[in-house]
Amino acid sequence: MPVVRGKSIEVLFSASTIARRNLELAKDIAAHEYNDLLVISVLKGSFIFAADLIRAMHDTGLSPEVEFIFISSYGAGTTSGEVRVLRDIDNDVAGRDVLLIDDILESGKTLKFARDLMLSRGARSCAIAVLLDKHTRRQTELTADFVGFECPDYFVVGYGMDVAHAFRELPFVGIVTGDA
Ligand code: IMP
Ligand code: MG
């Protein structure tokens, strides 16, 4: 079991498993024949997944534009969860097909907010791609269009995801199991 910062990490999805899945996701995305596609990476957690997925998309012949939005949700696991844009995209989304990329779909509040925002700005469509889906935690009607993996209800780290700002750099997704 890998040890990082003195903690044992159990690998849930390895780097090679994720890489294979990213290519399948990219092919699924390409099959939709989106027009003038604008990919929006939801920061911070999606930065590694988005970086890998857009390169897999390139391998399937897609050439999306890429944007970033920094969204923060407070108390996302509670009914009082409030979502705010901390840094917005620079592009106009009106008339465009948008693909939001995020790390985890949990309650759905973050991505519901982001998708409603893009549609209210006149996006032609707004699809959602997530690496992980914790569907048992859902508090909204939201479903993602492209899902890497169903995620068991553990707090996961790595591949962009953190606990208290740590472990984003891990090339795999894992669970912190305790002191090594
Ligand atoms: P929600 O769908 O609005 O509840 O929020 C999902 C967001 O919560 C994700 O984009 C992550 O930033 C964060 N999150 C949820 N579960 C985890 C986890 O297990 N590890 C790290 N971040 C998580
Ligand atoms: Mg997030």
Side-chain angles (χ1 to χ4, degrees), residues 121-156:
R121 290 174 176 177
R124 196 166 81 106
S125 69
C126 186
I128 291 172
V130 292
L131 178 70
L132 303 175
D133 187 358
K134 284 190 189 170
H135 76 273
T136 56
R137 292 284 197 132
R138 200 79 86 251
Q139 294 178 33
T140 62
E141 293 295 298
L142 202 77
T143 51
D145 303 86
F146 308 99
V147 175
F149 305 96
E150 284 297 325
C151 186
D153 191 13
Y154 296 111
F155 196 84
V156 297

Side-chain angles (χ1 to χ4, degrees), residues 10-57:
E10 183 187 330
V11 178
L12 202 55
F13 302 107
S14 71
S16 59
T17 299
I18 295 170
R20 271 196 305 275
R21 186 71 187 122
N22 283 344
L23 195 52
E24 292 172 356
L25 288 177
K27 287 177 182 161
D28 290 348
I29 292 165
H32 277 71
E33 301 186 347
Y34 293 119
N35 190 30
D36 194 20
L37 185 62
L38 175 65
V39 160
I40 303 178
S41 162
V42 180
L43 298 176
K44 298 176 185 173
S46 80
F47 77 108
I48 293 181
F49 175 48
D52 283 349
L53 185 59
I54 61 175
R55 283 178 289 185
M57 288 166 69

Side-chain angles (χ1 to χ4, degrees), residues 53-69:
L53 185 59
I54 61 175
R55 283 178 289 185
M57 288 166 69
H58 165 80
D59 290 344
T60 70
L62 292 176
S63 324
E65 255 180 65
V66 182
E67 266 288 357
F68 302 91
I69 191 167

Side-chain angles (χ1 to χ4, degrees), residues 42-46 71 73 102-104 110:
V42 180
L43 298 176
K44 298 176 185 173
S46 80
I71 297 181
S73 38
D102 206 355
D103 51 359
I104 303 193
T110 309

